[in-house]
Amino acid sequence: MAPGTDSAVTFEEAREFARAHGYPVLLKAVAGGGGKGMRRVDREADLESAHRNASSEAASAFGNSAMYVEKLIERPRHIEIQVLGDRHGNMVNLGERECSIQRRHQKSDRRVPVAADGAASGNARRHGEAAVKAARAAGYYNAGTVEFLVDADRRYFLK
């Protein structure tokens, strides 16, 4: 899994994270979505202003200025697994779909099956198992979606 923080960080904590894990990093709004309050940072000189601007945008959009930081995956693939479960503990995954084609951080195309380029095809079974495990751990029953961000360069892998 790509390195990232489990909770909100201050600017100083974001700088420590980036120094430890290297640039580029991604600042993300804790309460965010749709790319609001999100900034790519390629070098330390830009981190402070990016943190300030992303926090301000997050506060305006979501009423919460808190930020996460994570190592940026430069060639990501957005893979989704749909799950279906019932109140009796039965849970299945319905396979992968590719959702990497996006505009403004919103999916604009979904494709099935996922292109088999090694990174995705080698993880299809593990993604399905992880999706079912996550849904069960959450006590989920119904139809739902578990999303994965896969590094096409294979630096980070699902654990």
Side-chain angles (χ1 to χ4, degrees):
M1 306 248 305
T5 60
D6 293 329
S7 58
V9 296
T10 64
F11 161 69
E12 292 80 15
E13 291 167 330
R15 183 173 54 203
E16 289 174 23
F17 177 92
R19 285 178 177 169
H21 297 283
Y23 287 89
V25 296
L26 191 63
L27 298 171
K28 295 173 73 176
V30 167
K36 294 194 183 304
M38 186 165 66
R39 296 288 187 284
R40 175 187 175 132
V41 184
D42 291 306
R43 57 195 186 110
E44 187 167 332
D46 299 330
L47 185 62
E48 187 171 12
S49 64
H51 191 275
R52 181 179 57 250
N53 294 338
S55 295
S56 176
E57 183 177 55
S60 294
F62 309 113
N64 183 343
S65 64
M67 304 300 296
Y68 290 118
V69 63
E70 61 189 40
K71 180 69 177 151
L72 179 73
I73 298 175
E74 294 191 78
R75 290 186 353 109
R77 294 185 64 194
H78 181 164
I79 307 295
E80 293 184 351
I81 306 276
Q82 293 197 291
V83 294
L84 188 59
D86 65 22
R87 292 181 187 260
H88 305 288
N90 300 304
M91 180 73 62
V92 296
N93 83 73
L94 302 177
E96 292 184 314
R97 64 183 179 188
E98 173 82 49
C99 300
S100 298
I101 299 172
Q102 299 191 8
R103 181 174 180 266
R104 294 184 178 162
H105 307 290
Q106 298 292 320
K107 292 172 272 209
S108 61
D109 190 20
R110 293 171 176 87
R111 296 184 182 216
V112 177
V114 170
D117 72 350
S121 64
N123 285 325
R125 181 185 51 77
R126 293 192 312 171
H127 286 156
E129 291 169 357
V132 167
K133 185 176 180 180
R136 281 196 174 125
Y140 190 81
Y141 61 90
N142 209 326
T145 304
V146 179
E147 301 183 31
F148 296 87
L149 195 58
V150 178
D151 185 351
D153 292 328
R154 302 185 204 152
R155 286 186 298 259
Y156 307 106
F157 295 93
L158 178 67
K159 292 183 180 181

